[in-house]
Amino acid sequence: MKKLALLILLLHMALCVGANNKFDYKRYKAELVKYITNKACLTQAEAAKFFPVYNEMQQKQRVLFNELKKNRRVKPASDAEYKKVIRRHCELEIQIKEVQQQYHNKFFKILPAKKVYDVIKAEDRFHREAFKKLMKQKSKKNNKK
């Protein structure tokens, strides 16, 4: 009974903390699409063809990223287990790059190579800027405490 009460209390605390720091994925995704469209100078027709394929790539990568994240949390007990974890980590990173390469080839069928290049650069810039923005927000919250 005590364990159940503790579990409910911890769950409630996690929900309260999560409510204050909610990540709005739909807003993030909309901003990403807008940013890439503008920076890569995509027409509406190009964007309409490109983003469904791009989203498909991201979904496949997300599955691999999630597994990579789980792999990082593993606490091996032996040298052999450390090797296994490291090898799996490398395999996952290679798989992520293979998915990326596969989809870049699909992008070439939709967009000119220059625009694919611009999309890749824009995506990278967007993520860096979003990370900087997040760090500033966290810094402001920490300074208020």
Side-chain angles (χ1 to χ4, degrees), residues 19 26-27 68-69 86 138 144:
K26 287 182 181 181
R27 189 173 128 228
L68 192 61
K69 193 173 167 182
I86 292 168
K138 284 188 175 190
K144 288 181 180 179

Side-chain angles (χ1 to χ4, degrees), residues 20-35:
N20 294 333
N21 297 321
K22 272 192 176 176
F23 175 72
D24 187 351
Y25 181 75
K26 287 182 181 181
R27 189 173 128 228
Y28 173 84
K29 191 71 174 167
E31 288 176 6
L32 175 64
V33 168
K34 183 179 175 185
Y35 190 89

Side-chain angles (χ1 to χ4, degrees), residues 14 26 42 51 60-61 63 68 76-77 80 83 86 101 104 122 129 131 143 145:
K26 287 182 181 181
L42 300 181
F51 281 107
K60 288 184 180 182
Q61 285 182 318
V63 170
L68 192 61
K83 286 180 183 177
I86 292 168
Q101 185 178 34
H104 287 173
E129 289 176 15
F131 182 74
N143 289 337
K145 290 180 180 181

Side-chain angles (χ1 to χ4, degrees), residues 68-96:
L68 192 61
K69 193 173 167 182
K70 287 178 189 175
N71 191 56
R72 286 185 181 135
R73 293 185 187 137
V74 173
K75 300 288 184 197
S78 68
D79 199 53
E81 288 177 10
Y82 274 106
K83 286 180 183 177
K84 185 178 176 182
V85 168
I86 292 168
R87 286 187 179 118
R88 184 64 186 144
H89 182 88
C90 291
E91 288 170 3
L92 290 167
E93 286 185 338
I94 290 168
Q95 287 176 12
I96 289 166

Side-chain angles (χ1 to χ4, degrees), residues 42 46 49-51 53-54 57 97-121:
L42 300 181
E46 288 172 330
K49 290 179 187 175
F50 171 75
F51 281 107
V53 179
Y54 177 82
M57 177 188 76
K97 283 298 182 184
E98 286 173 344
V99 167
Q100 196 175 47
Q101 185 178 34
Q102 174 190 0
Y103 276 87
H104 287 173
N105 288 330
K106 289 182 180 186
F107 297 164
F108 293 140
K109 294 175 184 173
I110 301 168
L111 301 172
K114 182 197 181 314
K115 287 195 177 186
V116 172
Y117 179 78
D118 291 342
V119 164
I120 293 166
K121 283 179 56 178

